[in-house]
Amino acid sequence: MDKKYTIKDIAQMAGVSKGTVDRVLHNRGKVSPAALEKINEVLNVIDYEPNLIARNLKSTKVYRICVLLPDPAFDPYWLPCVNGIQDAIVEFKAYNVIIETHYFNPESTKSFLKVNETIIAQSPDAVLLTPLFHKETVEIIKQYDELGVIVNTFNNEVESSSIKSFVGQNLHKSGRVAASLMNLILSEGQIAIIHIDESLKNAVHMQEKEKGFRNYFEEKELNDFSITTLKLKNSNIETKFASFLEENPDLTGIFITTSKAYQIASLLSSAKSKKITLIGYDLIEKNVNFLNQGLVHFLIHQNQKRQAYLGVSTLVEHFLFRKDIPETILLPIDIINVENASFYVS
Amino acid sequence: MDKKYTIKDIAQMAGVSKGTVDRVLHNRGKVSPAALEKINEVLNVIDYEPNLIARNLKSTKVYRICVLLPDPAFDPYWLPCVNGIQDAIVEFKAYNVIIETHYFNPESTKSFLKVNETIIAQSPDAVLLTPLFHKETVEIIKQYDELGVIVNTFNNEVESSSIKSFVGQNLHKSGRVAASLMNLILSEGQIAIIHIDESLKNAVHMQEKEKGFRNYFEEKELNDFSITTLKLKNSNIETKFASFLEENPDLTGIFITTSKAYQIASLLSSAKSKKITLIGYDLIEKNVNFLNQGLVHFLIHQNQKRQAYLGVSTLVEHFLFRKDIPETILLPIDIINVENASFYVS
DNA sequence: AATTTTAGTGTGCTCGAGCACATTTTTTGT
DNA sequence: ACAAAAAATGTGCTCGAGCACACTAAAATT
C-alpha cells in the first residue's frame, strides 16, 4: 500500500494536532517528549512524503536564478545554451522562479566582471556561470559565497575548491574519443591537432582535449603516427594553415579542438583536396554542412543545450523540491557522423 | 512584465466574479454576452496561464497508467526499460498518478493477450505497450480505443492507423549508421548480417535494420563488398555459425541486428581469431565487456531506458499538464565505442 | 494564593483552480 | 402584474503544507 499520507493523517493517528506534527517534521521545537514519541512512532510505521505541490503552492518566495554565459553574437557555439535555458524557463514557469540570462564578452575579463556586478546587484538566490576566466571566476565565486548565493558552473571545469558543482563533459575523455575515431580511419601518417580560438581563453579547454588525444596514441603505442600541434588565430588562419599544409605533405588527419572545424574544412575544400580526415566539435550549422559534404568525418557533440538546461534545472529543483545539487554531471560524449547527425540537431 | 495573473485578478479586472471567469475559461456556458466580452477583453490584454500546481493540488482524480513490456527475465534487453519507468514513477510520485508495470512472455502471443486482459480489468487511463506482435497489437488497441484508453507504444514501430503515438528509433537509419561505421573500418570483403533471436517475433525490427544497412552500401555503390544474411536461433548458434565461418573464409565484418552481439563475440574469441569487425546493438553488460576487450568495435545504443521513460512521461504530462502526446519521438542513434561507453551505461 | 512566565498545543488562514451550490437577475407564461 | 421558470452570477468550500497567532496548562515568581 502506497497510500499517500498527509500531515492531517499523521496528526489524527498520533492523537495530536497538525501544528504539532508540523513542528516535529521541521524540528521547530516546542514539543513535549510525549507528543514527540507518539508522532515518531507513527512516522516510523508509515512512509510520509510531503506533498510538493501543496508546498510549492503555498510558498510565496520567488526564487531568482541568473545565468551568465558568453554572448552568442561573439560565438554561435553558445546559441544552444540559450535554448536549453529557455526550455528550463518553460518547464518551470508554473513555479515561482525567475530565470534571467546575462551575456558577457568572451574576450574580455572586464566584461565578465562587470556583468557579475550587475548580477550581484540583483541579489539572486543562485547563479549558473560559464567560468571562462579562471582567476576572475575564483574571485567572483568568493563574493557569491559571502552573499550566500549558490553557484553552479557549466561548460568549463575549473579546478578550485570553491566550486561546488559542475555540468559538462570530460574533455580528456573526449580527446580520447576523437583519437579512437581517428585511429579507426587512419593507420599511419601525420596528424595535426589544431587549436582555433579568437582569444586564447579557452586554453585549458583545448589543452585537455589535446592531452586526451595524445594520451590515446601513447597508450596504444601507435608509433606509425606523428602528432603535431598547431595554434591558429582567426586573423592568421588562412596563411598560416596554407604554409603548414605545404610544410607537411604527409598530413593525413586533423583534430580541431574547438567548434571551428568548418574553417579548416573550408580551406581544405578550396585547396587541392588531398584525403585528410577531419574530426571536430559541435553541431553548429556550418560544421554539419561539411559533415554532409564528407569533408568533416566526425563531430563530437558537446551538448551545450543540455548542459545549460541541466545547470539551471538542478538549481531550480534544489529550491523547489529540496533536491541535492550533484557535484558533477558529466554528459555523454556523443559521436556524430553524417548518418546520425540529424537526430541531434535541435 | 510577466506577472502571473490569477483567476481572481481577471475577475477583478473584468468586474465579475471568479466563478464567471472560470465558466468562460472552460466554456461551460451560462455566461451573458456582456460578461463574456468583458472577460475576453481582459484575456486578450493579459497573458493568463493557469497555475498548474494549484490545479493539480485540487484535482482528486487519480490517473492510472499501465506499462506492458516483455519480462526482462527472458531477455535482459528490457531491463533498462524498468529503470526508465522507475525514474518516471519517482518524478511523478507527488502527483495522483499510479504507474504499474506488467510483464509478458515475449515468445508467447497468448501471454501478451492474457496480460492485456489483466490490464483492461484495471481500467487504466492510458497504456504504454511494446507492440511485439503485430496482429495481436492491432486487435488489442481496438479494444482500448473502444474503452477510451489512450495507447502509447515504444520500441517497435507498428504500421497501423490505430496507433497514435510512438517512442523509439528509426531502425532503417540505425542500420545505415552501422553500415557507415563498418565502411569506415573496412574497405572490402564479405560482410554478414546476423539475426539472432529466440523467437522470430522481432522480425520486422531486424529486417528494417538490415534494409538500412544494405541501403547504405547500395547507395554508395560500394561494390567491393559482398553482403550475406544469416539467421540464427539460440539453439543452433554454435554449430551453424561455425560452419558459416568455415564456408566464408573472406568474412571481414559482422553486423548483428539484435542485442546478442556477445554471443558471436564469444564464439569468435574462442575460434582462431581472424580480424573480424563486429558491430551490434545495446549496452548490455556482456556486450560492453566485449567492447572493452576490443572484440566488438561499435555498439548502437537504442536507449530503451529513455524510450520507456519518455513513453510514460508524455502520458503523465498529458494528464497532468494537458500536454499533447507527440505522434513520434525518435531518439538519437548513439554511436558507442570503447572510449565513450562508460558515459552511457546507467 | 494569586499572578506572571513559559512550555506546549491547537486553530485558522493562505496559496490558485475548480466546482457545487446558493443567490440574484432576467425572461417567460398566464 | 405577478408568479414561475430559466439564465446568469456570486459564494464558499476543497486540496496539503506552512506558519502566525491564539489558546491552554503547567511551572515559576511574588
Side-chain angles (χ1 to χ4, degrees), chain A residues 130-150:
Chain A
T130 326
L132 274 201
F133 314 108
H134 189 284
K135 206 186 78 191
E136 286 79 4
T137 300
V138 173
E139 209 167 292
I140 281 288
I141 287 180
K142 207 189 291 172
Q143 279 191 53
Y144 284 124
D145 276 353
E146 280 168 12
L147 292 165
V149 177
I150 295 176

Side-chain angles (χ1 to χ4, degrees), chain A residues 243-312:
Chain A
S243 59
F244 179 81
L245 269 185
E246 253 176 60
E247 286 161 24
N248 299 275
D250 295 336
L251 195 71
T252 53
I254 298 176
F255 171 46
I256 298 118
T257 55
T258 62
S259 57
K260 306 289 191 294
Y262 61 91
Q263 296 191 325
I264 299 295
S266 146
L267 293 174
L268 279 179
S269 70
S270 58
K272 73 250 154 186
S273 74
K274 298 189 300 172
K275 258 280 176 194
I276 291 185
T277 302
L278 269 187
I279 296 178
Y281 279 90
D282 301 319
L283 295 180
I284 61 177
E285 206 184 333
K286 289 177 188 166
N287 282 345
V288 175
N289 284 344
F290 282 112
L291 193 68
N292 288 332
Q293 286 174 42
L295 275 154
V296 169
H297 293 71
F298 279 108
L299 287 171
I300 288 172
H301 184 32
Q302 306 200 71
N303 217 339
Q304 309 94 303
K305 182 179 172 180
R306 195 159 170 75
Q307 284 186 27
Y309 170 79
L310 286 172
V312 174

